[in-house]
Amino acid sequence: MRQRVFTIIENSPLTDRVSLLRLRGDCSEIQRPGQFVDLALPGFFLRRPFSVCDWTGDELRLVYEQAGQGTARLRDLPAGEKLDLLTGLGNGFDLSRAGDTPLLVGGGSGVSPLLGLARRLRKQGVQPRVILGFGRVEELFLTEDFYRLGLTPTVTTEDGSFGIRGLVTAAMDVPHSFLYACGPLGMLRAVSEKSPAPGQLSLDARMGCGFGACMGCSIRTVNGPKRVCKDGPVFDKEELLWDD
Amino acid sequence: MGRLSVNLCGIELSNPIIPASGTFGYGHEFAALYDINCLGTFSMKGTTRQPRFGNPTPRIAEAPAGMLNAVGLQNPGVDAVIAEELPRLAKVFHKPVIANVSGFSVEEYAEVSAKLAAQPQVGWLEVNISCPNVHGGGMSFGTEPAAAAEVTRAVRNVTDKPLILKLSPNVTDIVSIARACEGAGADALSLINTVLALRIDLKTRRPVLANVTGGLSGPAVFPLALRMVWQVSRAVKIPVIGLGGVSSAEDAVEMMLAGATAVQIGAANLKDPFACPNILRALPGVLDRLGVNNIRDIIGGAHG
Ligand SMILES: Cc1cc2nc3c(=O)[nH]c(=O)nc-3n(C[C@H](O)[C@H](O)[C@H](O)COP(=O)(O)OP(=O)(O)OC[C@H]3O[C@@H](n4cnc5c(N)ncnc54)[C@H](O)[C@@H]3O)c2cc1C
Ligand SMILES: Cc1cc2nc3c(=O)[nH]c(=O)nc-3n(C[C@H](O)[C@H](O)[C@H](O)COP(=O)(O)O)c2cc1C
Ligand code: FES
């Protein structure tokens, strides 16, 4: 983990509710896709956690959805503005377990970290299958970025306005060696139950610190209590307890 | 003695800056970022007899200029703290540390305190009779002078190490609790713990925290903490450790002027992991500007 100042290069809407934030700064602390950054916003006490969408050299990409007051403030920040980030947080996805035919499943803002993951899997010579779930056609984002990697993502929309109608699970009947998923908890659970393969899931939690100091983000696992921010946010599917 | 050094119950601190319990874990997250031996000392996460998972999540909510937490004393239990955390800590921290103790009965406070006090690394015991986030323990001992005195006496009986009682602000008369602890043998007092608070999610119309209520801390509580440190330090002869919303060297100086011998830093560490070293770096300059040679000369300086 490092504290670094980044400069906004671009902050532009991808859809009504989702924006792309391109930042310039020192990305050296980011080691794996699925790690996250914790961003200090002027006027707010707590930092906001966002998954690393992708990074190259000194450019960091985040994708954020409008959730409340902080993300509303973030949307107003112009290029040139400086942001204080804790970077390289969390464990990230383990690429060594992908196998030949990994399946990537993302829902809503959970699509974001899968792009960085897909790029690095491609670099390893692996061709992942990708399923991206949205509410309706107007909400699609990042799908072309997956095409640019030479991938053909399967898109699902809940109202059927694009791709397959239904939830991501409606498109999951494909054989796969390993599952990587990020999205709302309900989706993660459904996806995890549907997949016969081993896998890793990226979880979300309310955070106090983002780096393991406050015990604000704890979950119970088969291996005892874990901190989503420090021991996660990526957990082995087999490690999670779904009962509470 | 350096210009920042202070004496806390017979143990010299190289400076009065102490990360507060529950915001610094067992030091390792911060030791990965800076040499934590720069600190006066720090207070470890609250320890109970049994391992505790703590409260359901969400445990954290935001506030204007602060935060609410309802962690509920998640900790591995006193035996694991002694067997695992203290040996791990010895590798990165070479000063006496403060062991923070919580309990659900007078016997539990005494038992956990006795075990921790027997550890050579432990310089002080800080007995938390003020946690607002656990039901049927914690704060109830800190809201009644007689109960506070009973816990103090029970822990006093099991150790000669310096004994700090950590007080709750969720009372009508904090001075009466402070006096009761002093009378029962406390060597020092630390205040304040968090202020009982609530946030509601407008969309769901339900409390944000699964525990419903949580403890408010951060800059929002600073003036309240300052007032209580002022009142308590006037009323007792033992040293007072001031905390609640301290986030800058100026805040630390203000807290000491109000009567604090040392200052703890809580929520500021969570927002900015370098909060304590930044405060330490700024302190000499602040003292210079104020024409102060030694920081210990300003303790209680505002009382005239
Ligand atoms: C590891 C991790 C990665 C994330 N990655 C992304 C991402 O790539 N893109 C994206 O759009 N969102 C992501 N989120 C969710 C994002 O952090 C929240 O949407 C954001 O903090 C909301 O801030 P706000 O001020 O707009 O909302 P408010 O509701 O006003 O925030 C109030 C408080 O609650 C917290 N909070 C509210 N909703 C969430 C939530 N869903 N998760 C965690 N904290 C929350 C805020 O951080 C803040 O402390 C991620 C969360 C985590 C834990
Ligand atoms: C996440 C969190 C956990 C805490 N856990 C403890 C604890 O275990 N024991 C304790 O005595 N105080 C605990 N506290 C209270 C702090 O030590 C401190 O008294 C309070 O937060 C006020 O200081 P601050 O405003 O600088 O944060 C906790 C506070 C926070 C924010
Ligand atoms: S958010 Fe503080 S430990 Fe995870």
Side-chain angles (χ1 to χ4, degrees):
Chain A
M1 190 243 292
R2 288 287 175 267
Q3 185 173 24
R4 291 285 180 264
V5 175
F6 281 71
T7 308
I8 300 179
I9 335 175
E10 181 188 348
N11 186 9
S12 58
L14 296 174
T15 71
D16 270 2
R17 299 182 45 79
V18 175
S19 302
L20 168 71
L21 187 65
R22 284 172 54 222
L23 302 169
R24 175 147 300 139
D26 175 5
C27 300
S28 60
E29 198 66 12
I30 303 167
Q31 308 287 344
R32 283 172 156 196
Q35 286 188 299
F36 68 100
V37 300
D38 217 357
L39 193 155
L41 284 170
F44 294 86
F45 188 76
L46 293 175
R47 290 170 183 271
R48 290 337 191 230
F50 296 103
S51 297
V52 170
C53 171
D54 209 350
W55 76 103
T56 42
D58 65 352
E59 185 178 321
L60 171 63
R61 284 177 181 232
L62 308 177
V63 171
Y64 65 96
E65 190 175 3
Q66 288 305 307
Q69 294 182 5
T71 44
R73 178 82 181 88
L74 183 57
R75 185 160 55 177
D76 290 339
L77 297 179
E81 197 89 1
K82 304 228 181 299
L83 288 173
D84 164 355
L85 264 68
L86 302 179
T87 91
L89 298 174
N91 56 356
F93 293 110
D94 182 355
L95 277 75
S96 72
R97 296 176 63 191
D100 295 334
T101 51
L103 177 65
L104 278 48
V105 183
S109 65
V111 163
S112 170
L114 299 186
L115 182 65
L117 173 62
R119 184 188 307 285
R120 279 154 191 85
L121 287 171
R122 291 289 290 129
K123 246 185 233 156
Q124 284 188 14
V126 175
Q127 183 87 3
R129 295 165 196 272
V130 180
I131 303 172
L132 308 176
F134 301 94
R136 50 198 176 91
V137 63
E138 292 83 4
E139 293 172 12
L140 266 61
F141 62 88
L142 291 187
T143 49
E144 321 85 71
D145 297 77
F146 285 91
Y147 279 105
R148 251 174 254 138
L149 294 177
L151 300 171
T152 313
T154 303
V155 173
T156 65
T157 52
E158 285 173 47
D159 68 354
S161 52
F162 190 91
I164 296 175
R165 175 194 290 267
L167 304 172
V168 284
T169 40
M172 272 183 64
D173 290 319
V174 287
H176 50 279
S177 53
F178 197 80
L179 171 73
Y180 295 101
C182 184
L185 200 62
M187 182 205 101
L188 292 180
R189 182 175 189 165
V191 163
S192 175
E193 280 166 2
K194 181 119 194 209
S195 167
Q200 290 192 319
L201 311 176
S202 178
L203 301 193
D204 180 356
R206 298 273 175 150
M207 294 184 173
C209 64
F211 54 90
C214 74
M215 301 293 148
C217 64
S218 297
I219 56 162
R220 294 178 198 270
T221 74
V222 297
N223 301 314
K226 299 277 180 189
R227 297 160 296 182
V228 170
C229 69
K230 175 93 179 187
D231 308 309
V234 175
F235 291 91
D236 287 355
K237 196 181 141 185
E238 300 74 23
E239 198 180 356
L240 295 173
L241 297 168
W242 296 104
D243 22 311
D244 54 336
Chain B
M1 298 227 302
R3 73 185 297 207
L4 293 186
S5 70
V6 294
N7 189 298
L8 186 61
C9 311
I11 302 177
E12 186 174 320
L13 302 180
S14 58
N15 63 69
I17 301 303
I18 305 172
S21 180
T23 64
F24 211 72
Y26 300 94
H28 298 285
E29 288 73 29
F30 296 86
L33 298 175
Y34 64 88
D35 180 3
I36 61 173
N37 292 288
C38 70
L39 303 164
T41 176
F42 79 92
S43 183
M44 295 188 293
K45 176 65 192 168
T47 302
T48 52
R49 177 158 48 193
Q50 301 297 333
R52 280 178 61 83
F53 176 70
N55 288 324
T57 56
R59 297 175 174 181
I60 302 286
E62 195 173 49
M67 61 181 284
L68 281 67
N69 90 83
V71 169
L73 295 172
Q74 181 178 346
N75 79 97
V78 64
D79 294 331
V81 168
I82 290 169
E84 286 153 38
E85 296 300 343
L86 284 174
R88 260 183 3 120
L89 178 62
K91 296 192 185 126
V92 294
F93 191 61
H94 315 302
K95 294 179 167 183
V97 70
I98 302 177
N100 182 286
V101 177
S102 273
F104 294 84
S105 67
V106 174
E107 297 71 40
E108 180 175 358
Y109 275 110
E111 183 188 328
V112 174
S113 297
K115 285 183 172 176
L116 287 168
Q119 308 308 312
Q121 280 162 277
V122 171
W124 308 258
L125 286 172
E126 180 178 58
V127 177
N128 174 11
I129 52 168
S130 48
C131 185
N133 297 326
V134 291
H135 303 282
M139 189 163 81
S140 52
F141 291 102
T143 54
E144 273 288 316
E150 199 188 342
V151 174
T152 309
R153 232 176 279 116
V155 177
R156 179 78 290 167
N157 279 337
V158 299
T159 182
D160 294 327
K161 283 203 172 156
L163 174 55
I164 305 163
L165 269 286
K166 183 162 177 180
L167 305 187
S168 170
N170 304 307
V171 295
T172 34
D173 181 12
I174 195 165
V175 166
S176 65
I177 315 276
R179 286 203 174 112
C181 294
E182 181 183 38
D187 297 308
L189 303 169
S190 56
L191 57 137
I192 57 174
N193 206 313
T194 55
V195 179
L196 197 58
L198 176 77
R199 291 307 304 269
I200 294 169
D201 184 324
L202 297 187
K203 282 179 218 148
T204 63
R205 304 188 188 180
R206 297 291 307 146
V208 171
L209 298 171
N211 189 53
V212 179
T213 58
L216 175 66
S217 64
V221 307
F222 180 64
L224 173 71
L226 205 62
R227 183 265 292 177
M228 290 187 157
V229 167
W230 167 281
Q231 289 177 321
V232 167
S233 65
R234 282 176 94 85
V236 299
K237 296 193 178 59
I238 52 180
V240 170
I241 302 170
L243 75 155
V246 175
S247 26
S248 66
E250 285 83 356
D251 293 348
V253 166
E254 197 172 340
M255 201 48 114
M256 292 181 76
L257 284 169
T261 295
V263 175
Q264 291 187 3
I265 318 288
N269 293 302
L270 306 181
K271 180 188 173 66
D272 175 3
F274 293 96
C276 287
N278 287 342
I279 289 172
L280 277 172
R281 202 168 315 119
L283 259 181
V286 172
L287 295 182
D288 287 346
R289 277 210 305 285
L290 300 174
V292 175
N293 263 334
N294 295 312
I295 203 164
R296 53 193 172 274
D297 298 338
I298 65 168
I299 297 168
H303 291 276

